[in-house]
Amino acid sequence: MVKNIGLQDRNIRYGAGALLILAGLFLQSWILGILGLIAVGTAYFGTCLAYIPLNISTKKQGE
């Protein structure tokens, strides 16, 4: 897969994903938990599938 997520985007996704997972646990909402897992997963793998058809990349040269 093509890596299209830069360092700043990755860190934001990790933080937002962690918050969504915690909110899902506290509010007992499995939907928030799944959204959090998706955000963390895309950050971990460095690829956002929604960016591919739109030809978007937040990576800077050298990352």
Side-chain angles (χ1 to χ4, degrees), residues 8 12 25 28:
Q8 184 177 9
I12 291 170
L25 289 173
Q28 297 179 351

Side-chain angles (χ1 to χ4, degrees), residues 12-27:
I12 291 170
R13 286 172 188 263
Y14 274 132
L19 288 175
L20 284 169
I21 290 171
L22 287 174
L25 289 173
F26 286 121
L27 300 174

